[in-house]
Amino acid sequence: VDRPVRVYADGIFDLFHSGHARALMQAKTLFPNSYLLVGVCSDDLTHKFKGFTVMNETERYEALRHCRYVDEVIRDAPWTLTPEFLEKHKIDFVAHDDIPYSSAGSDDVYKHIKEAGMFVPTQRTEGISTSDIITRIVRDYDVYARRNLQRGYTAKELNVSFINEKKYRFQNQVDKMKEKVKNVEEKSKEFVNKVEEKSHDLIQKWEEKSREFIGNFLELFGPDGAWKQMFQERSGRMLQAFSPRQSPTSSPTRGRSPSRSPSPPFPWLFNKASPPSSPKAASASLSSMSEGDEDEK
């Protein structure tokens, strides 16, 4: 045909889950170009033939409407497909799992669809179904009841008796105390671990600093340390200051000509041949000597 193949899939779709989505995905991808219609039965019809549902029909319609494989949702779908219904919606094929679905006095409500060659089987997803989810809730009823009581739901809304309500609330208090004790233990362990880490770091830093201090001390005050050398240098300077060395004898005389030999200050003392005959003569010789020195200057 020159139009999309119209595939129909129906069901209750209570507590819409991944098993429902995978079945609809298979129905959508049966043909390269397809248009998927999904029929959802109403609450009255479902409660009559199958049982009470968790989600009401409006919630189930909305769950299907937001599935990406669904092109159209047919509300209040019939329990058994009639030719008039198939003709009205121009349905080419019906997709459902191949397990015989006995209901409404029939061994298989899709028997006439299969005989007409309009049935296409899909595979069920093992491990997930609405019945499995409800079974988990019933099995863990106390856990969910306690959780909802803690979240603010009343015992009347949960259909819980007065005694069970008090029991659940007491259990919630016990669980809170256990959680607090657990948190305190975890925090204390974290604190102890932090203290151990910090003490280890402090010890390591103290060892490093102590080695550095000892090394610096030995460099300064050791046998060959800087303090000893400095002390020796200072002691040498002090000894030199208290007992300076003598001037060298070969140093030249300042202010005198090297060609002339120095005359003794008192030549008459060293001249044995002509000593002064009188004090007047001695004074005359001293005056003449002084005049000679001035001439030299």
Side-chain angles (χ1 to χ4, degrees):
V1 296
D2 57 353
R3 60 171 175 78
V5 178
R6 297 174 69 84
V7 180
Y8 176 80
D10 60 356
I12 309 302
F13 300 105
D14 190 19
L15 297 175
F16 189 79
H17 52 74
S18 61
H20 294 143
R22 288 178 63 87
L24 297 177
M25 178 189 68
Q26 296 176 53
K28 176 67 176 178
T29 57
L30 286 172
F31 303 97
N33 186 16
S34 63
Y35 185 85
L36 181 60
L37 301 94
V38 179
V40 182
C41 299
S42 64
D43 287 344
D44 294 338
L45 202 60
T46 303
H47 297 166
K48 178 180 179 180
F49 290 107
K50 187 172 184 178
F52 190 74
T53 58
V54 178
M55 300 169 63
N56 58 46
E57 59 183 38
T58 303
E59 294 170 339
R60 292 185 285 116
Y61 297 153
E62 288 298 309
L64 267 298
R65 192 172 66 85
H66 289 86
C67 180
R68 62 177 178 173
Y69 306 112
V70 179
D71 296 309
E72 182 181 344
V73 176
I74 300 177
R75 302 187 175 204
D76 194 13
W79 196 261
T80 303
L81 300 179
T82 61
E84 291 78 15
F85 180 82
L86 298 174
E87 181 65 25
K88 176 183 177 181
H89 296 282
K90 296 181 174 58
I91 296 171
D92 298 315
F93 294 94
V94 177
H96 200 273
D97 60 80
D98 201 14
I99 301 174
Y101 194 83
S102 58
S103 179
S106 174
D107 295 334
D108 189 0
V109 294
Y110 297 103
K111 182 178 180 180
H112 63 289
I113 303 296
K114 294 176 181 177
E115 292 176 350
M118 298 174 62
F119 186 84
V120 183
T122 58
Q123 300 296 325
R124 293 177 64 90
T125 302
E126 296 297 332
I128 182 68
S129 67
T130 302
S131 299
D132 293 338
I133 296 173
I134 294 174
T135 300
R136 296 176 199 173
I137 296 173
V138 173
R139 181 189 60 196
D140 301 325
Y141 170 77
D142 291 346
V143 176
Y144 296 124
R146 288 168 52 191
R147 183 183 68 180
N148 288 347
L149 282 173
Q150 191 173 4
R151 290 183 176 179
Y153 289 90
T154 63
K156 184 177 180 181
E157 291 174 335
L158 297 174
N159 196 22
V160 174
S161 64
F162 177 80
I163 296 176
N164 286 336
E165 179 188 3
K166 298 303 179 184
K167 182 182 72 174
Y168 294 151
R169 294 191 183 281
F170 176 75
Q171 290 175 346
N172 288 336
Q173 294 296 327
V174 172
D175 290 343
K176 286 182 179 179
M177 292 298 299
K178 289 181 179 179
E179 189 67 23
K180 288 182 179 179
V181 172
K182 184 178 179 180
N183 293 334
V184 171
E185 290 179 353
E186 291 178 354
K187 290 181 179 179
S188 62
K189 288 180 180 178
E190 292 178 359
F191 177 75
V192 171
N193 292 333
K194 288 181 180 179
V195 170
E196 290 179 353
E197 291 177 358
K198 289 184 178 180
S199 61
H200 180 72
D201 293 339
L202 289 174
I203 292 172
Q204 187 175 1
K205 290 181 180 179
W206 182 84
E207 290 178 352
E208 293 176 357
K209 292 295 182 181
S210 62
R211 293 193 190 99
E212 183 180 356
F213 176 77
I214 293 171
N216 295 333
F217 183 84
L218 292 176
E219 288 180 1
L220 186 61
F221 299 101
D224 300 326
W227 180 261
K228 183 178 180 181
Q229 295 178 2
M230 183 175 64
F231 180 76
Q232 290 177 353
E233 291 178 0
R234 290 189 176 183
S235 61
R237 292 176 183 175
M238 292 176 66
L239 289 174
Q240 186 177 0
F242 286 119
S243 59
R245 297 178 181 178
Q246 295 180 356
S247 301
T249 56
S250 60
S251 61
T253 304
R254 184 180 63 183
R256 292 184 180 179
S257 175
S259 60
R260 296 177 62 182
S261 59
S263 59
F266 303 102
W268 53 270
L269 292 174
F270 299 96
N271 190 359
K272 296 179 179 180
S274 57
S277 58
S278 62
K280 292 182 179 181
S283 61
S285 63
L286 287 172
S287 62
S288 64
M289 182 182 64
S290 61
E291 290 178 359
D293 291 338
E294 290 177 358
D295 293 337
E296 289 180 1
K297 291 179 180 180

